[in-house]
Amino acid sequence: MVSEGAQGRSDAGTPGTPPQLRLDELLEGLQQQVGLVRSARDRMRTLLDAVLVVGSDLDLEVVLRRIVDSAVTLVDARYGALGVLGEEGTIKQFLTVGIDEETVAGIGSYPRGEGILGELIRRPEPLRLARLADHPASVGFPPGHPPMTSFLGAPVRVREEVFGNLYLTDKRGGTQFDADDEAVLRTLAAAAGVAIDNARLYDETRRKQRWLAASDDLTRSLLAGVEPAEVLESVAATVRELAGADLVTLAVPVGESGELAVEVASGARADDVRGLVLPATAPAAKVAASGATVTGDAVSVAPRAEGSGVPAVDLGPAFFVPLGSGDRRRGVITVANMPGGPSFPDTTVDMITGFGNQAALTLEVADHRRDAERMLVLSDRDRIARDLHDLVIQRLFAGALTLQSTLGHVSDRPQASERVQRVVDDLDDTIKVIRSTIYGLREGDRGRGGGLRAKLVATTDRAAEALGFSPALRMTGLLDTAVPATHADHLLAVLGEALSNAARHARAASVDVGVDVSGRVLRLRVADDGTGLGGGAVRGSGLANIRERAEALQGSFEVSPNRPSGTLLVWSVPLPSHER
């Protein structure tokens, strides 16, 4: 009966199909369905694991790298990349998976957003292609780029704003990306947007904390009486750390010409730019004049004039921040990376702008504090001078008159008369010294604001007419505050004589002038690429005068051949230790 029933059901099913074969087909179909369910389950588990991995770190660079790795694993692609977009819709950062560093170096710079990559930027929607070359926007690959066929891309959005795009190519096994791959990638892109947003917020919070800590340290340093030069060095180092930059410079105005001098530099090639005088046409000088923050993809810290003998320092992405606002701008902060380096995000620019304003305000408060202290010193000097004049000199003068009146009583005693007269003469000399001291107390600080830096720039500018070009000028150290007036006068005279010699005798095409104060020593260095010194040139009156000025200040003077051609003049003198 069982066989009859079975036979009856077989007759009701597919005619002529043996019962065992029919059962095998059903089991095979069931196994396929189970395999699909397992595959979907495993893929979902992999997707969930990927979402957890992507969101498990708050470092933005780590998050971005994990996003690309997870995308390649989920859709089984050979190559993957994440292109982070800049402000103008171009790719400013490009992270790759599947291509070794040697191949990347052979390809050259990362793409800027042309071809298929640009298509996804212009239309931020998922894009799936069987063959890259068949798309109208395809522009091919650069030399050294590995061949790629299938393509799957999807935008990564952060708060409805496109942060970047995921690019995946060459599905393993030679198959094409399907709708399931697209759905998985879209899900990962959504989770990636949340992870990126969290990482950015965390990074911004950390930066703000460091900014506040740096501002607090800056304020304490200035109000504690630390020298402004040391504080500016600290400002540059702090800005470089906050921005993650390769080079940070701080340029201050020189005179009324609109030129700037690079007072402080921190980072790569700092020694090449420290002390440079920037012309009024330089980007930093324009920012100082306008007071507006400016960004650029490629800038150059150049010397004062073309052909000055000092090479320009080429930089990559950079931005310029005015230090202060309104009529109280104290200088310009330049934050830059080397050529090929990454651009700076808007949050970094805004943060450094705020820090610059805070630094300028703190410097202003410190200046007022120093002015108040200086006024107290001047007031004390005036009081001391008045007391010396009204009390000491009057008493000395009265004593001298009394002694003079006694001379008539001892005229018959020559030895005693001579001694009394000697005391009267000593009192007169003492009165003269005190009067000189009074004059020094009242006049010593007047005229110190003439600005040695401005006078140096003016001296080199005057020499440009005779030379036919502007000499390159570097100035470092506390030139305006640490150099006494007598030393400054000698220095300007020596510089003028050296530039005059270069114009009249050297037939030079470039002159490099360096002036610095370090270790209580004032040093002038003038180098040209001219014909050099003849055998008797050192005995010339001009160089003899320079040597005499050095010896008058207990300094030294050396003249030697420059390399590869020309003359090198080094004039150095010690500074008095009591000068402030």
Side-chain angles (χ1 to χ4, degrees):
M1 293 178 63
V2 174
S3 62
E4 290 178 358
Q7 180 67 37
R9 287 193 297 274
S10 176
D11 294 341
T14 303
T17 302
Q20 186 62 38
L21 183 59
R22 175 62 177 165
L23 181 59
D24 291 342
E25 291 177 352
L26 290 174
L27 289 175
E28 183 178 354
L30 182 59
Q31 288 177 346
Q32 291 177 353
Q33 293 297 323
V34 171
L36 292 174
V37 171
R38 285 179 175 174
S39 177
R41 182 198 64 187
D42 293 341
R43 195 166 197 179
M44 183 60 66
R45 180 177 296 169
T46 304
L47 176 60
L48 291 175
D49 290 342
V51 171
L52 289 175
V53 168
V54 167
S56 62
D57 202 292
L58 290 175
D59 186 279
L60 184 58
E61 291 296 324
V62 175
V63 169
L64 297 180
R65 177 61 61 183
R66 288 182 176 178
I67 289 171
V68 186
D69 290 335
S70 300
V72 169
T73 302
L74 283 172
V75 301
D76 200 21
R78 184 180 302 275
Y79 305 109
L82 173 61
V84 180
L85 301 184
E87 296 180 1
E88 299 179 356
T90 58
I91 297 175
K92 70 174 184 179
Q93 188 178 3
F94 200 70
L95 293 85
T96 61
V97 171
I99 303 179
D100 56 65
E101 295 182 0
E102 184 178 351
T103 303
V104 172
I107 296 173
S109 61
Y110 58 76
R112 305 296 296 173
E114 306 292 336
I116 299 296
L117 305 187
E119 181 71 15
L120 202 59
I121 294 173
R122 292 185 292 272
R123 297 180 178 84
E125 297 293 337
L127 178 63
R128 182 157 43 97
L129 302 172
R131 284 179 54 85
L132 276 166
D134 294 341
H135 195 278
S138 178
V139 294
F141 299 108
H145 197 287
M148 297 178 179
T149 305
S150 56
F151 175 84
L152 176 61
V156 177
R157 299 179 185 273
V158 178
R159 299 188 182 184
E160 302 304 321
E161 178 184 350
V162 177
F163 174 83
N165 293 299
L166 278 168
Y167 309 108
L168 303 167
T169 59
D170 283 17
K171 187 174 178 67
R172 296 183 185 275
T175 59
Q176 301 178 15
F177 296 107
D178 55 24
D180 289 341
D181 294 326
E182 181 179 326
V184 168
L185 188 62
R186 293 179 67 173
T187 303
L188 178 65
V194 175
I196 291 171
D197 192 28
N198 290 336
R200 289 169 69 179
L201 291 174
Y202 176 71
D203 186 60
E204 183 178 351
T205 300
R206 285 196 309 171
R207 287 178 180 270
K208 286 183 177 179
Q209 288 177 343
R210 292 161 60 193
W211 169 33
L212 292 174
S215 299
D216 186 48
D217 291 341
L218 172 68
T219 302
R220 285 203 307 269
S221 298
L222 282 171
L223 297 183
V226 178
E227 286 292 335
E230 296 181 23
V231 175
L232 293 179
E233 291 280 359
S234 176
V235 168
T238 301
V239 168
R240 187 165 69 91
E241 180 185 357
L242 291 176
D246 293 330
L247 174 66
V248 171
T249 65
L250 198 157
V252 297
V254 180
E256 303 296 332
S257 62
E259 295 175 315
L260 300 177
V262 180
E263 180 78 16
V264 176
S266 174
R269 302 199 67 178
D271 292 338
D272 294 334
V273 300
R274 187 181 294 110
L276 279 178
V277 175
L278 308 178
T281 56
K286 293 180 180 179
V287 170
S290 65
T293 300
V294 175
T295 60
D297 291 331
V299 299
S300 175
V301 179
R304 298 181 67 241
E306 296 296 332
S308 62
V310 180
V313 178
D314 293 325
L315 303 174
F319 63 93
F320 303 86
V321 175
L323 189 61
S325 59
D327 296 333
R328 306 296 295 177
R329 284 191 286 274
R330 308 179 64 92
V332 175
I333 299 175
T334 302
V335 184
N337 282 327
M338 291 293 106
S343 301
F344 296 97
D346 294 340
T347 53
T348 297
V349 177
D350 293 340
M351 178 184 61
I352 299 303
T353 301
F355 181 75
N357 292 333
Q358 174 70 20
L361 179 60
T362 306
L363 287 169
E364 191 76 20
V365 173
D367 281 349
H368 286 308
R369 182 171 178 263
R370 282 190 294 272
D371 288 342
E373 293 175 350
R374 181 166 174 169
M375 289 301 297
L376 288 176
V377 172
L378 293 178
S379 178
D380 283 342
R381 288 185 175 185
D382 284 340
R383 178 183 57 79
I384 294 171
R386 187 170 54 252
D387 291 345
L388 286 174
H389 181 271
D390 295 343
L391 300 176
V392 178
I393 287 183
Q394 296 301 328
R395 290 186 179 183
L396 290 174
F397 188 71
L401 289 178
T402 301
L403 289 175
Q404 279 185 331
S405 66
T406 62
L407 286 175
H409 301 286
V410 295
S411 58
D412 56 341
R413 300 169 58 186
Q415 188 174 5
S417 177
E418 181 182 354
R419 289 182 178 180
V420 172
Q421 185 62 49
R422 190 181 305 124
V423 172
V424 171
D425 293 339
D426 289 342
L427 287 175
D428 285 340
D429 291 339
T430 302
I431 292 173
K432 292 177 182 179
V433 171
I434 294 176
R435 282 176 174 169
S436 177
T437 302
I438 293 172
Y439 180 81
L441 286 172
R442 290 177 171 174
E443 304 293 332
D445 282 343
R446 296 183 185 178
R448 292 180 62 89
L452 178 55
R453 288 175 175 269
K455 293 177 181 178
L456 288 168
V457 172
T459 301
T460 55
D461 285 342
R462 286 195 299 270
E465 183 176 353
L467 288 167
F469 56 87
S470 294
L473 175 61
R474 299 171 183 265
M475 300 182 293
T476 56
L478 302 175
L479 293 172
D480 285 342
T481 58
V483 180
T486 53
H487 288 62
D489 292 340
H490 282 293
L491 173 67
L492 294 171
V494 170
L495 176 58
E497 183 65 39
L499 293 175
S500 176
N501 285 341
R504 289 181 297 171
H505 307 301
R507 296 194 294 276
S510 66
V511 177
D512 186 3
V513 178
V515 185
D516 69 271
V517 172
S518 61
R520 306 306 305 170
V521 174
L522 171 64
R523 183 177 292 102
L524 168 67
R525 182 183 183 276
V526 181
D528 66 63
D529 61 353
T531 57
L533 288 168
V538 177
R539 294 189 296 270
S541 60
L543 296 182
N545 291 336
I546 295 176
R547 188 180 303 278
E548 289 176 2
R549 289 182 181 275
E551 293 173 351
L553 298 175
Q554 289 76 49
S556 62
F557 170 60
E558 296 179 1
V559 180
S560 60
N562 194 22
R563 296 289 182 268
S565 65
T567 304
L568 174 62
L569 181 154
V570 179
W571 185 85
S572 61
V573 296
L575 295 175
S577 59
H578 64 274
E579 288 288 337
R580 295 291 298 171

